[in-house]
């Protein structure tokens, strides 16, 4: 069964706007990871946030983690056409299993 | 530095045929994984190998077998392909489990079973 649930399933915004995607999960975790998947390609790791961290930044990416609500969000600022992709959260309980959500399809319109 | 390499990239099989999907990584990672990705389902773990010489079942192992040939290579075998196994298959690796490390993915094998 899926641990992570992303919301929304699809998001379409104008270039330059910010995009926010949310992820909820059910059980305790060691860390939560976000991945990007371009059409026809494999997943690319974006950012990892540990369970004792609340916020993490990487370039135009900002990830937050609220373990009390079992939720995370990924914010992409100043979006670009190249950000068009599917974004997945994955929860890591530390025992081999990295459990992925169903993903958010992000479309950036020029 | 190639990362994770999967072969073939595309394959069409008939029901009942067998085939092996190959995966190799050049990052000296200990742990390797096989996932399948179906529309609307995200990625589901088929089998994994925490270290050379060990393999274990994941969430959806039925109909598949794996071999950890050496530290670099981890293959997935379909003994008697079924239409329900039509999917995109991804191999991944990471330095080791329990390590707060990300996984690195190949570009996938797109498999159709007729």
């Amino acid at each position: 069964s899926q641990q992570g649930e992303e919301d929304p399933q699809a998001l379409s915004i104008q270039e330059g706007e910010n995009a926010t995607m949310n992820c909820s999960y059910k059980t305790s975790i060691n860390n939560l990871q976000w991945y990007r998947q371009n059409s026809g390609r494999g997943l690319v790791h974006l950012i990892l946030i540990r369970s004792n961290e609340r916020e993490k930044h990487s370039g135009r990416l900002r990830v937050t983690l609220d373990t009390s609500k079992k939720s995370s969000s990924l914010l992409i600022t100043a979006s670009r056409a190249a950000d068009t992709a599917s974004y997945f959260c994955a929860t890591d309980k530390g025992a081999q299993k990295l459990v992925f959500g169903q993903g958010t399809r992000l479309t950036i319109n020029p | 530095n190639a990362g994770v390499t999967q072969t073939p990239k595309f394959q069409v099989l008939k029901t009942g045929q067998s085939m092996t999907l190959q995966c190799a990584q050049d990052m000296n990672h200990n742990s390797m994984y096989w996932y399948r990705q179906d529309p609307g389902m995200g990625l589901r773990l088929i089998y994994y190998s925490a270290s050379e010489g060990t393999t274990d079942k994941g969430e959806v192992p039925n109909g598949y077998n794996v071999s950890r040939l050496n530290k670099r290579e981890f293959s997935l075998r379909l003994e008697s392909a079924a239409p329900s196994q039509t999917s995109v298959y991804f191999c991944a690796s990471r330095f080791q489990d329990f390590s707060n490390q990300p996984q690195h993915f190949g570009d996938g094998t797109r498999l159709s079973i007729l």
Side-chain angles (χ1 to χ4, degrees):
Chain A
S1 61
Q2 300 296 318
Q3 161 85 307
E5 297 286 340
E6 283 101 337
D7 172 61
Q9 292 189 3
L11 180 62
S12 181
I13 61 174
Q14 296 300 119
E15 194 167 14
E17 294 180 338
N18 295 342
T20 299
M21 289 158 270
N22 302 296
C23 172
S24 60
Y25 58 93
K26 298 176 182 176
T27 62
S28 62
I29 59 173
N30 282 14
N31 64 70
L32 187 143
Q33 304 177 25
W34 285 91
Y35 290 79
R36 183 187 73 232
Q37 184 180 33
N38 291 94
S39 180
R41 302 299 300 274
L43 277 72
V44 174
H45 178 257
L46 295 176
I47 199 163
L48 181 153
I49 186 165
R50 301 187 184 202
S51 59
N52 60 354
E53 298 175 313
R54 292 298 168 256
E55 187 171 313
K56 204 162 184 179
H57 297 257
S58 177
R60 293 182 297 112
L61 306 180
R62 172 177 170 257
V63 168
T64 61
L65 179 65
D66 187 335
T67 53
S68 66
K69 295 181 179 179
K70 291 186 171 58
S71 66
S72 174
S73 67
L74 170 67
L75 169 67
I76 303 174
T77 61
S79 63
R80 305 167 181 170
D83 295 328
T84 293
S86 291
Y87 292 81
F88 294 88
C89 70
T91 52
D92 189 347
K93 294 189 282 187
Q96 295 88 26
K97 292 184 177 181
L98 195 64
V99 182
F100 288 84
Q102 297 172 332
T104 293
R105 292 191 311 278
L106 176 64
T107 302
I108 309 300
N109 301 304
Chain B
N1 190 344
V4 178
T5 302
Q6 293 184 236
T7 56
K9 294 188 184 305
F10 302 93
Q11 185 71 46
V12 179
L13 294 177
K14 295 181 180 179
T15 298
Q17 288 186 316
S18 62
M19 81 160 294
T20 300
L21 281 63
Q22 306 287 353
C23 175
Q25 52 88 11
D26 63 1
M27 295 173 284
N28 200 34
H29 286 171
N30 293 292
S31 301
M32 298 184 73
Y33 311 83
W34 276 106
Y35 294 90
R36 60 178 288 173
Q37 184 178 34
D38 301 296
M41 296 292 291
L43 277 76
R44 292 182 292 171
L45 183 65
I46 304 171
Y47 269 94
Y48 62 94
S49 172
S51 61
E52 187 179 356
T54 69
T55 60
D56 284 287
K57 295 178 180 180
E59 182 184 357
V60 288
N62 291 344
Y64 305 96
N65 285 301
V66 291
S67 295
R68 183 73 182 267
L69 304 172
N70 48 54
K71 190 172 185 178
R72 291 186 63 247
E73 299 172 287
F74 188 38
S75 63
L76 178 71
R77 183 163 177 82
L78 285 70
E79 291 290 353
S80 179
S84 62
Q85 295 177 304
T86 293
S87 188
V88 183
Y89 291 85
F90 288 99
C91 177
S93 70
R94 71 173 166 178
F95 178 65
Q96 64 182 38
D97 285 321
F98 302 99
S99 63
N100 280 322
Q101 295 281 329
Q103 292 186 9
H104 299 259
F105 285 80
D107 278 338
T109 294
R110 283 144 187 84
L111 183 60
S112 293
I113 315 296
L114 304 178

